[in-house]
Amino acid sequence: MDNIGEVLKFLRRKEDFVSGDYISKKLDVSRTAVWKYINHLERYGYTINKSKGKGYMLLKTPDRLYPWEVDRYRNTAILGERIIHQENVDSTNIVAFKLALAGEPEGTCVIAESQNKGKGRLGRKWCSPVEKNIYLSVVARPQVHPSVVYPITFLSSLAVYDTIETLTGEKPTLKWPNDVLMHGRKVCGTLLELSTEADMVRFVIIGIGFNVNMAADELDDEIREKASSLAMETKKLYERALVCGMLLSNLEKYYLRFKQEGEREICRVWEERASIKGKYMAINQIGESYKGIAEGIDNDGAILLNIDGKIKKIIAGDVSF
């Protein structure tokens, strides 16, 4: 953490003034440097009471996904050790993919306050209003064969599941392959993009769009009946840095489990959480539709659909119950 984050630590330790002299001695910098850090914080949106002879007192923290704010709640050793925060991007996945191609190490996260061209599955647009939700992409470099990489998409939905359950006390619904719903409405989607060679994965970008504080009037008309947010479903607002830190912690928990126990274990856990067995569903693919009873998830993440007594393995598609 840089000195701006360290100054914030001092300001947060007590609800009173902290002298500039005290901070300068602790950080081994000049009083002028401390004053500059305070001014930087104000430009970042922090409200600070400055009193001659007393020092500085933090009055208000902006709801922003600055790295040092997310770090307060992040309990990880890999994911989020480097966070690249942007005000606005085309898509966090696009930025993360380019960085990964250039050699960015595993665990690097790209977080944006808004997106111009947020991406969902099958090229769909992802609604991305400013400073309301979490738009996050993580660079992962698992040393696995491309044939077993698909279940990584389950890691993010499981991480979101745990985060929502901790925050709200409610169990959300997992919808194959990558959605998380509350009360039947989508609050999170994930998008996996990867670069592979013949027999190995070079890197995977785990993209997460998590609707946290978005209001109903900020949803596009075409998705208003199907989508929602944590705030809309629970009637309260959330500190996004807290949500993001918890999300990264939960994501690393499942990522390490994937690397240690394999894709079969992740598929098993997802299948158990989703309670998918025995559900009658329709799966739409481009130009085709299948209806049947789900028999569960195969070891590679595909859904096993019982259609009139015959099991069909489906790799991708849109599910409706």
Side-chain angles (χ1 to χ4, degrees), residues 7-224:
V7 169
L8 267 174
K9 281 185 179 180
F10 291 121
L11 296 179
R12 285 188 166 122
R13 280 177 184 168
K14 58 180 181 177
E15 296 179 1
D16 200 354
F17 285 96
V18 181
S19 73
D21 187 55
Y22 174 81
I23 297 174
S24 69
K25 288 179 179 177
K26 287 291 184 180
L27 295 181
D28 193 26
V29 298
S30 68
R31 287 283 300 275
T32 300
V34 173
W35 178 80
K36 288 181 179 179
Y37 293 140
I38 295 294
N39 286 340
H40 275 302
L41 286 170
E42 288 181 320
R43 286 197 290 273
Y44 280 127
Y46 294 84
T47 303
I48 300 171
N49 187 348
K50 297 181 285 189
S51 176
K52 193 172 183 178
K54 291 184 177 180
Y56 310 102
M57 181 167 62
L58 181 64
L59 299 179
K60 187 177 179 182
T61 297
D63 182 27
R64 307 275 285 173
L65 296 173
Y66 297 133
W68 52 85
E69 291 295 341
V70 175
D71 283 346
R72 295 172 63 202
Y73 306 107
R74 177 178 62 85
N75 181 24
T76 66
I78 304 170
L79 305 188
E81 281 296 287
R82 172 164 152 77
I83 294 176
I84 299 170
H85 174 265
Q86 300 286 333
E87 292 298 318
N88 179 267
V89 295
D90 284 348
S91 158
T92 57
N93 261 35
I94 291 174
V95 175
F97 199 95
K98 290 179 180 177
L99 288 170
L101 283 174
E104 193 70 32
E106 176 167 83
T108 296
C109 298
V110 177
I111 302 175
E113 300 291 345
S114 65
Q115 301 179 115
N116 291 326
K117 298 177 182 177
K119 298 194 295 182
R121 287 179 62 245
L122 306 176
R124 294 172 180 143
K125 176 185 174 184
W126 186 268
C127 185
S128 307
V130 180
E131 297 179 23
K132 292 298 180 75
N133 303 322
I134 293 173
Y135 317 116
L136 165 72
S137 295
V138 180
V139 177
R141 295 185 181 275
Q143 296 181 347
V144 296
H145 191 274
S147 63
V148 302
V149 76
Y150 186 85
I152 290 180
T153 194
F154 294 153
L155 305 180
S156 48
S157 53
L158 286 170
V160 172
Y161 182 106
D162 286 6
T163 301
I164 290 176
E165 186 175 26
T166 301
L167 288 169
T168 70
E170 296 186 46
K171 293 182 183 295
T173 302
L174 296 180
K175 181 182 174 185
W176 184 86
N178 66 343
D179 293 347
V180 184
L181 289 69
M182 288 189 74
H183 310 144
R185 300 171 76 188
K186 182 174 176 177
V187 297
C188 181
T190 64
L191 179 64
L192 207 67
E193 296 185 288
L194 61 153
S195 174
T196 66
E197 295 179 5
D199 58 351
M200 67 173 290
V201 172
R202 294 177 63 198
F203 62 82
V204 178
I205 304 300
I206 305 171
I208 301 175
F210 189 4
N211 296 342
V212 179
N213 290 329
M214 186 162 60
D217 60 4
E218 292 171 307
L219 287 165
D220 290 341
D221 291 339
E222 61 266 27
I223 63 170
R224 193 161 291 172

Side-chain angles (χ1 to χ4, degrees), residues 260-271:
Q260 293 163 4
E261 301 179 47
E263 71 281 0
R264 292 186 179 185
E265 174 64 9
I266 295 301
C267 289
R268 184 196 66 79
V269 174
W270 188 94
E271 182 182 88

Side-chain angles (χ1 to χ4, degrees), residues 280-284 289-293 305-308 314 320:
Y280 183 79
M281 60 180 61
I283 301 179
N284 295 311
S289 180
Y290 305 97
K291 294 181 180 180
I293 298 173
L305 196 65
N306 187 326
I307 304 174
D308 299 326
I314 300 175
S320 57

